Structure formats: structure tokens, C-alpha cells
């Protein structure tokens, strides 16, 4: 018996040593690949022909380099780790290695209805802060992030249709319910923030359900829920396009994939497809990642059974239910004549972003090793490292045929997360890393739960002690981002201050100004914008009528909603016209509808400080030729059309 235990301990040690050796070797090779003087130019040339402008394109930096480096950073460490492990495992045989993973399955975490109600009440209490709804409007967060949603809603309220009268880059289920809520509660900025808050509450409910169905240990469940909430709290942003629901809704199909693995009941696949379809209407990139993850795991499951006979049928059920889910929206768009442009935009905008629109360089491995915090490389590579550790934990179990909900759901989440990280390669800033981070956080706690459970299994003390060491490694990895000042300030401090300070939660801060602008809903206007808003509002009241065409240039999308004036184009702001063809479309609209006035803001957020003469040169030239200064307000210049 002791000899067998000693042998199992040796296998357990060698198992992880071989995997980590392969992982380190793969990272070293990936680092070497990143240093190779490879040239990438075809995508740059194609982007320039379309008229796309961004920092990377202006600098002659191809985003293909970042994609290749990311693929190397993921594929090489995982590939070498599994290769080393496979060569080593052949010596012992998979049957013997299965012993180190053969521990009893436990029931999932069970809570009473009273405990669930207490959890939900805690979420509502912590997430609520009166200043979330009444934070003064200012800067790009209002003009652009909230503005793009408010602009779309104003178009819908005027009878417009997505992809014909406006374009957002987001799914219709993110915008149309907001328009319905505004019809019910009033078309105000406050309604917009209430809507965003409700979307986040739904996201927290989904994540709570996901942890409840996948985490076995109650302590890990409580820790996972609290730490997830401490990072993805509602105080980070207030616009609907930043809601956590865009990603969280993609977790639900993975739950039903796990159910299908256990039961083989087709209705679980149908439910997964129905939810994935709705995810597609919220965020196409998340839905596509989810669907690929589902298909990948179903394919692997069929391979493990040494037959692909049922795979086409499974994909038919999944795809059919997904199509059924989105059919009502597609029928509505078809009725409005918007189906073809909607489907075109669904594929075209991701392509433009992939070609380099709004792109900035992804931090290199050299930056990670030399200045991880100052170079903002720690957080994105932390996410990648979570995926690498999870992959080498999960893949050997899949290769040994352990296909159950305890391995299938984390594996699907791993595939989803690796694919979703692609969105952060387009625009490599903190927000887009943050957007792609949810799967990594959730996956971390699923793996941690499996490790904690191994401590309570009937294994030998030596193996349990080594499990403690692995848990320690995972904990250190989790704590790594907290060394980043950005992470601490924008994430943790806001959560502590706004989530637990009772006085702060229920007392509206002094600050900002209340102006006679109908659509604020009582939300004050910040110091940064108050003078501009007051001057523009007074000018529009004196010289224009409600619903008149006015063009706000270059990037003040929120003003169309705030002042109840019509945008003569379908683009929320000029920088949303990515290609020369789209900018020509704006010029045609201005020429056709001939708005009398253009409100030109001299001090406004510019994408990576790229001036309009560079970002939208054709449009800037057109405005210069057809409009003359009419009233100079300092930071704002009113321009009047020459031929009117």
C-alpha cells in the first residue's frame, strides 16, 4: 500500500513538473518569436486603401504582428507543455495516470432559498449608489460612450431603424429595450443609467447562477462571488455598451453544455442555442466566441467516443435553436428593409477593427519583463497566464477521457476566453483588456475550486500538500494585477468607497450644475462641460427648432439626445465613419439635408489625439468649404452654411 502511495506521489509530482517545464520552454520560444524581425505589410496597405486611420497605421505598425505574437504566446506554451506531457505519459500509460485524477465527484454547492435571497440582497445593496445615477456628465464618458447609445435611442424614438438610420457597432437588443424603457419612464439621461444598472444586475444574477452550478466548495463560492463583484462592480462605467451582461450572457450556454454532457438530452442543446442567439443580439463577438467554444467541446466529446456520427446532428440542434432565437429580430429588420445592411454591418465592422481602426500597440513580452507596471503589460499578460495555467490543468484530463461537467464547462470557458481576448488585440487599452477579462476571472475560480476539493479527497497527505502549493501559485497569480496603480484606483478604491460607505451610497454629492435642459432627468452637468452646454443650449433655443438638423462636430454624439436635435447622418460622430467611403456618405447626407448650423467643439476628446484633418480629412475639407464661422463661443464655434 505504501509503495503504491509513493508511486502515485511520484506520478503527481512528475505530472506537474513536466507540464510546467513544457510551459516555460514554450514561453521562451514565444519570446524568441516576438523578437524575430518579421515584416507584415499586407493588412496595412489594405487599410490605407480603405482610408482607415489609426495610430498603428500612421506609424506603419501592423496589428498582424500582435496577432501572431498572441497566437505564439498561447499555442507554443500549451503545445510544448502537452507535447512534453504526452511523451512522458506514454512511458507510464494513461490508465495509470488516471489514478491521480480519480477522486470522487461531489455534489455542487447547495444553498437554501434564504441564503440565495441574502446573496441577492447583498448584491443589490453593494451595487447601489445614488451617485452612480447622478454622477455629473463630463468628458468622453458622456459625449461618446453614453452618447453613442443616446444617439441611437433618439433615432429609434424618431422612427429610425438600426443599420439604415443609425449605426452603433452594438447589437439591437442593447439599444431597442432602452428605447422602450424611455417611452415608459421618459427620454432622459437618468433612464439610460437606470437601464445600464438593471443590465448589470442581470449579469450578476447570471454569474451567481454560474458559480452556484459549477463551484462545489461553499467557501470558494463566497470568495469567487465577492472577488468577482469587487472587480466587475457597476461603478466602473455607466453606459449600456459597457454593461457586464454583454459577456456574462455568454456563460449561460456553457452551463447547458455541461448539462448536455451529463444527460445527452437534446433540449439542453436547444436552450444553449437559444441563449447564444440572444447573446448575438447583444454582442456579436461574445456570441461568436461562445458558439465556437460550444462547437469545439462537442467535437472533442465526439472524438473521445471515436465517432463523429452525432456531431452534425448536435450542430444542427445548436445552430437551429440559435437561428430561431434571433428570427423575430431578423423578421423585424427585414420588414423595415434593414436586414441586408444589418447583416453586412455585423460582419463588416469587426473586419475594420481587425484591420487596425482605433488600434494601438499591444504590450510586448519585452515590456512585460522590463516595465510591467509602467508599460501597462501586467494586466493583459496576467489574463493570458491564467489561460495557460488552466489549459495545462484541463487538457491532460480531456486527453484521458474525463469528459464530464467538471471538465467540459471550464474547457469551454477557456476556449471562449482565449477567443474573446482577440477583441483586446484590436484596441489594446485598459478598458478592452477589462472587457475581455471576465472569462479569465471566472475560470480562475473554477480551477481553484477543483484544487481546493482535492484537499478534501481521500488522497495521500503528500499529494494534498502539493495541492496546497498549487493553490498558493494560483493565489499569487490572482493577486498580481493589484500591483498596478490603474487597477487599484479605478477598480478597488471605487468598489470600497461606493459599495460600502453607507453615507456615500445614499447622499448625492455636491457638484455639477442643473441647467434647464429637459433630457438630463436631474443629472447635473460637470464643470468641464457646463459652460459649453449652456452656450450651445441658449443658441439652439434662439435660432433653431426641436427636431431640426444640426451637425455636432467632431465627436459629441450625446448632444443630439440632450438638445433634441436631429443628426443628418447615420453616424453618431464623425470618427465613427471609419473608411473613405463612409466619410463620403456623411458628406452626401450633409449636402442633401443641408443643416444650417454645425456646432464645432474645439476642445473635445479625439481618438488618440489624432486631429480631424488627419482622421476625417474629406469631411473636414467639406465643412471648411461650405460653412463659415457664425458665432465664436470660445471652446465652441457655431458655423453656418454658406448657401443658406
Amino acid at each position: 500500500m505504501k509503495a503504491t502511495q509513493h508511486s502515485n506521489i511520484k506520478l503527481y509530482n512528475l505530472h506537474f513538473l513536466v507540464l510546467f517545464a513544457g510551459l516555460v520552454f514554450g514561453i521562451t520560444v514565444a519570446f524568441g518569436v516576438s523578437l524575430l524581425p518579421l515584416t507584415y505589410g499586407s493588412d496595412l496597405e489594405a487599410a490605407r486603401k480603405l482610408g482607415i486611420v489609426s495610430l498603428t497605421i500612421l506609424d506603419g505598425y501592423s496589428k498582424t504582428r500582435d496577432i501572431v505574437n498572441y497566437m505564439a504566446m498561447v499555442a507554443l506554451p500549451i503545445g510544448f507543455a502537452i507535447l512534453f506531457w504526452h511523451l512522458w505519459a506514454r512511458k507510464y500509460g494513461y490508465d495509470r495516470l488516471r489514478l491521480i485524477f480519480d477522486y470522487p465527484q461531489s455534489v455542487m454547492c447547495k444553498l437554501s432559498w434564504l441564503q440565495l435571497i441574502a446573496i441577492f440582497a447583498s448584491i443589490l445593496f453593494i451595487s447601489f449608489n445614488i451617485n452612480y445615477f447622478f454622477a455629473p456628465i463630463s468628458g468622453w464618458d458622456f459625449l461618446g460612450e453614453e452618447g453613442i447609445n443616446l444617439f441611437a435611442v433618439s433615432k429609434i424614438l424618431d422612427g429610425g431603424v438600426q443599420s439604415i438610420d443609425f449605426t452603433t457597432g452594438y447589437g439591437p437588443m442593447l439599444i431597442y429595450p432602452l428605447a422602450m424603457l424611455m417611452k415608459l419612464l421618459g427620454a432622459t439621461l437618468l433612464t439610460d443609467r437606470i437601464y445600464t444598472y438593471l443590465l448589470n444586475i442581470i449579469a450578476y444574477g447570471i454569474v451567481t447562477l454560474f458559480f452556484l452550478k459549477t463551484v462545489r466548495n461553499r467557501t470558494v463560492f463566497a470568495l469567487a462571488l465577492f472577488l468577482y463583484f469587487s472587480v466587475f462592480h457597476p461603478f466602473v462605467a455607466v453606459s449600456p455598451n459597457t454593461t457586464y451582461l454583454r459577456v456574462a450572457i455568454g456563460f449561460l450556454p456553457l452551463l447547458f453544455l455541461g448539462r448536455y454532457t451529463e444527460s445527452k438530452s437534446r433540449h439542453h442543446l436547444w436552450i444553449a442555442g437559444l441563449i447564444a442567439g440572444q447573446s448575438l443580439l447583444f454582442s456579436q463577438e461574445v456570441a461568436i466566441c461562445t458558439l465556437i467554444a460550444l462547437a469545439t467541446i462537442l467535437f472533442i466529446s465526439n472524438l473521445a467516443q471515436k465517432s463523429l456520427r452525432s456531431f452534425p446532428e448536435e450542430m444542427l440542434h445548436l445552430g437551429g435553436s440559435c437561428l430561431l432565437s434571433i428570427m423575430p429580430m431578423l423578421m423585424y429588420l427585414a420588414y423595415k428593409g434593414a436586414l441586408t445592411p444589418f447583416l453586412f454591418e455585423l460582419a463588416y465592422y469587426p473586419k475594420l477593427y481587425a484591420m487596425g481602426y482605433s488600434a494601438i500597440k499591444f504590450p510586448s513580452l519585452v515590456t512585460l519583463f522590463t516595465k510591467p507596471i509602467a508599460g501597462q503589460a501586467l494586466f493583459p499578460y496576467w489574463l493570458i497566464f491564467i489561460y495557460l495555467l488552466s489549459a495545462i490543468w484541463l487538457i491532460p484530463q480531456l486527453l484521458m477521457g474525463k469528459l464530464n461537467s467538471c471538465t467540459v464547462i471550464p474547457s469551454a470557458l477557456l476556449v471562449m476566453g482565449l477567443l474573446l481576448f482577440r477583441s483586446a488585440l484590436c484596441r489594446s487599452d485598459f478598458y478592452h483588456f477589462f472587457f475581455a477579462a471576465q472569462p479569465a476571472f471566472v475560470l480562475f475560480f473554477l480551477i481553484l475550486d477543483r484544487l481546493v476539493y482535492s484537499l478534501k479527497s481521500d488522497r495521500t497527505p503528500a499529494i494534498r500538500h502539493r495541492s496546497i502549493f498549487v493553490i498558493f501559485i494560483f493565489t499569487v497569480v490572482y493577486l498580481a494585477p493589484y500591483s498596478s496603480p490603474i487597477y487599484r484606483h479605478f477598480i478597488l478604491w471605487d468598489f470600497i468607497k461606493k459599495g460600502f460607505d453607507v453615507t456615500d451610497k445614499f447622499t448625492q454629492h455636491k457638484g455639477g450644475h442643473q441647467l434647464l435642459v429637459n433630457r438630463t432627468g436631474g443629472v447635473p452637468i460637470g464643470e468641464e462641460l457646463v459652460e459649453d452646454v449652456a452656450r450651445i443650449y441658449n443658441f439652439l433655443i434662439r435660432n433653431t427648432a426641436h427636431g431640426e438638423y444640426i451637425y455636432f462636430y467632431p465627436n459629441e454624439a450625446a448632444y443630439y439626445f440632450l438638445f433634441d436635435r436631429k443628426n443628418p447622418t447615420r453616424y453618431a460622430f464623425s470618427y465613427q465613419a471609419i473608411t473613405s467611403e463612409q466619410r463620403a456618405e456623411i458628406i452626401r447626407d450633409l449636402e442633401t439635408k443641408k443643416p444650417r448650423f454645425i456646432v464645432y467643439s474645439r476642445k473635445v476628446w479625439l481618438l488618440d489625439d489624432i486631429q480631424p484633418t488627419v482622421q476625417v480629412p474629406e469631411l473636414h475639407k467639406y465643412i471648411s468649404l461650405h460653412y463659415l464661422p457664425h458665432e465664436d463661443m470660445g471652446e465652441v464655434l457655431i458655423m453656418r452654411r454658406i448657401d443658406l
Side-chain angles (χ1 to χ4, degrees):
M1 182 67 178
K2 289 185 177 180
T4 302
Q5 288 183 353
H6 180 76
S7 177
N8 287 343
I9 293 171
K10 181 181 177 181
L11 278 178
Y12 191 81
N13 291 339
L14 287 174
H15 168 80
F16 283 108
L17 285 174
V18 170
L19 285 170
F20 275 110
L23 188 72
V24 172
F25 182 79
I27 292 174
T28 304
V29 176
F31 180 71
V33 170
S34 70
L35 297 177
L36 293 176
L38 302 176
T39 57
Y40 308 93
S42 60
D43 61 327
L44 281 175
E45 188 60 31
R48 286 168 178 152
K49 285 182 179 179
L50 289 175
I52 302 174
V53 179
S54 70
L55 278 185
T56 56
I57 293 172
L58 293 173
D59 292 343
Y61 181 88
S62 172
K63 289 298 287 183
T64 302
R65 177 182 296 276
D66 289 342
I67 295 171
V68 169
N69 288 341
Y70 172 67
M71 292 175 64
M73 184 61 192
V74 170
L76 291 175
I78 295 175
F80 278 112
I82 300 306
L83 176 63
F84 285 16
W85 180 85
H86 175 69
L87 295 174
W88 167 78
R90 286 171 56 185
K91 177 181 177 182
Y92 291 92
Y94 281 175
D95 289 337
R96 189 178 175 191
L97 290 172
R98 287 189 183 95
L99 294 174
I100 65 175
F101 290 104
D102 276 343
Y103 48 85
Q105 299 292 327
S106 78
V107 296
M108 295 302 173
C109 183
K110 289 186 177 180
L111 299 175
S112 67
W113 280 106
L114 186 62
Q115 290 171 319
L116 290 174
I117 292 172
I119 290 171
F120 191 69
S122 299
I123 290 175
L124 289 177
F125 174 78
I126 297 172
S127 66
F128 178 83
N129 189 302
I130 193 68
N131 297 290
Y132 170 87
F133 304 99
F134 292 98
I137 60 176
S138 64
W140 176 250
D141 287 343
F142 168 66
L143 294 176
E145 294 295 347
E146 286 187 277
I148 194 171
N149 304 281
L150 295 171
F151 159 75
V153 166
S154 65
K155 286 282 191 177
I156 295 173
L157 294 177
D158 288 336
V161 181
Q162 183 166 349
S163 302
I164 292 181
D165 301 295
F166 67 92
T167 180
T168 67
Y170 304 108
M173 283 303 294
L174 197 65
I175 303 299
Y176 278 85
L178 174 58
M180 295 174 63
L181 189 64
M182 285 197 174
K183 289 181 179 180
L184 181 65
L185 301 181
T188 67
L189 180 58
L190 179 60
T191 303
D192 176 71
R193 294 184 175 182
I194 291 173
Y195 175 69
T196 306
Y197 176 77
L198 293 175
L199 293 182
N200 284 332
I201 292 298
I202 295 171
Y204 298 143
I206 290 174
V207 172
T208 301
L209 176 65
F210 190 86
F211 280 136
L212 187 65
K213 295 298 183 180
T214 56
V215 172
R216 317 177 204 195
N217 185 277
R218 288 191 179 191
T219 302
V220 175
F221 170 79
L223 184 68
L225 200 58
F226 178 78
L227 291 179
Y228 171 90
F229 193 47
S230 71
V231 174
F232 301 100
H233 56 74
F235 316 122
V236 174
V238 296
S239 56
N241 58 301
T242 62
T243 175
Y244 304 123
L245 183 60
R246 290 180 62 201
V247 176
I249 194 174
F251 297 155
L252 281 179
L254 309 186
L255 273 183
F256 287 97
L257 174 66
R259 289 289 188 89
Y260 173 72
T261 303
E262 301 286 355
S263 68
K264 295 302 178 182
S265 175
R266 291 289 194 262
H267 79 271
H268 288 132
L269 275 184
W270 272 88
I271 296 174
L274 290 171
I275 299 172
Q278 290 305 300
S279 177
L280 186 64
L281 298 177
F282 270 94
S283 176
Q284 62 264 37
E285 62 263 51
V286 174
I288 290 170
C289 295
T290 301
L291 287 169
I292 294 175
L294 294 172
T296 301
I297 299 304
L298 288 173
F299 183 75
I300 292 173
S301 299
N302 279 267
L303 281 182
Q305 297 170 7
K306 299 181 179 180
S307 172
L308 295 177
R309 184 174 302 173
S310 62
F311 180 68
E313 183 183 349
E314 291 171 338
M315 293 306 299
L316 186 62
H317 283 283
L318 187 65
S321 58
C322 182
L323 182 61
L324 181 65
S325 179
I326 64 176
M327 189 58 68
M329 180 58 71
L330 296 183
M331 291 175 65
Y332 166 78
L333 293 172
Y335 174 74
K336 293 291 186 178
L339 181 59
T340 299
F342 170 74
L343 295 176
F344 174 77
E345 287 184 355
L346 200 67
Y348 190 55
Y349 271 97
K351 176 184 175 182
L352 295 180
Y353 279 93
M355 292 179 71
Y357 172 67
S358 79
I360 54 180
K361 296 179 182 178
F362 187 83
S364 67
L365 278 167
V366 174
T367 304
L368 174 66
F369 294 138
T370 56
K371 45 180 181 180
I373 297 176
Q376 298 186 19
L378 181 62
F379 188 48
Y381 281 102
W382 173 82
L383 298 175
I384 294 173
F385 198 54
I386 288 290
Y387 291 134
L388 296 182
L389 288 177
S390 301
I392 66 172
W393 171 266
L394 289 166
I395 293 176
Q397 297 183 61
L398 296 179
L399 291 175
M400 289 186 290
K402 292 190 171 296
L403 290 163
N404 52 52
S405 60
C406 293
T407 55
V408 161
I409 295 176
S411 298
L413 192 59
L414 171 65
V415 175
M416 175 190 174
L418 287 172
L419 293 172
L420 186 61
F421 195 85
R422 174 69 178 81
S423 64
L425 295 178
C426 295
R427 181 164 179 81
S428 304
D429 59 6
F430 181 79
Y431 169 73
H432 287 84
F433 296 145
F434 190 68
F435 171 77
Q438 282 195 68
F441 272 80
V442 174
L443 183 60
F444 171 87
F445 288 106
L446 295 192
I447 302 299
L448 183 64
D449 175 67
R450 280 32 171 188
L451 290 169
V452 169
Y453 181 75
S454 69
L455 299 179
K456 302 174 69 175
S457 69
D458 57 357
R459 295 173 168 193
T460 63
I463 289 182
R464 290 200 295 270
H465 293 161
R466 284 156 179 78
S467 296
I468 293 174
F469 175 73
V470 177
I471 292 172
F472 172 76
I473 295 296
F474 263 74
T475 304
V476 170
V477 169
Y478 176 81
L479 293 174
Y482 290 80
S483 61
S484 169
I486 294 179
Y487 193 89
R488 290 198 306 269
H489 176 72
F490 289 104
I491 304 300
L492 294 181
W493 175 246
D494 272 358
F495 174 67
I496 295 170
K497 176 68 176 175
K498 298 177 181 178
F500 293 95
D501 188 330
V502 177
T503 302
D504 184 84
K505 292 174 75 66
F506 299 102
T507 305
Q508 187 173 341
H509 294 167
K510 294 180 179 180
H513 300 265
Q514 295 287 351
L515 299 181
L516 297 177
V517 182
N518 295 331
R519 288 187 159 184
T520 61
V523 177
I525 299 170
E527 296 289 345
E528 179 184 351
L529 286 179
V530 64
E531 290 187 5
D532 291 348
V533 169
R535 289 168 179 168
I536 295 171
Y537 178 70
N538 290 330
F539 175 84
L540 294 177
I541 290 295
R542 293 194 314 267
N543 297 279
T544 67
H546 286 286
E548 182 176 336
Y549 286 120
I550 300 290
Y551 192 58
F552 293 100
Y553 178 76
N555 291 323
E556 299 76 39
Y559 283 165
Y560 297 106
F561 177 86
L562 191 64
F563 300 124
D564 191 19
R565 297 300 187 270
K566 288 185 178 181
N567 185 337
T569 80
R570 67 190 187 98
Y571 298 95
F573 42 83
S574 66
Y575 281 27
Q576 199 183 25
I578 300 172
T579 67
S580 298
E581 182 181 350
Q582 291 172 332
R583 295 190 287 273
E585 180 187 339
I586 289 182
I587 292 172
R588 289 194 299 271
D589 288 335
L590 293 176
E591 188 63 26
T592 301
K593 296 171 183 174
K594 290 182 169 56
R596 285 191 297 153
F597 299 106
I598 286 180
V599 180
Y600 177 34
S601 296
R602 291 169 169 146
K603 185 181 179 182
V604 70
W605 179 88
L606 300 174
L607 182 64
D608 299 319
D609 293 324
I610 301 174
Q611 295 299 314
T613 51
V614 178
Q615 188 77 52
V616 286
E618 308 93 334
L619 178 58
H620 194 82
K621 181 179 179 181
Y622 174 86
I623 291 174
S624 301
L625 291 174
H626 292 81
Y627 288 82
L628 289 176
H630 175 73
E631 185 173 333
D632 195 330
M633 301 178 179
E635 299 294 349
V636 175
L637 175 66
I638 306 296
M639 303 182 74
R640 187 182 180 104
R641 191 171 179 91
I642 294 173
D643 56 357
L644 290 178

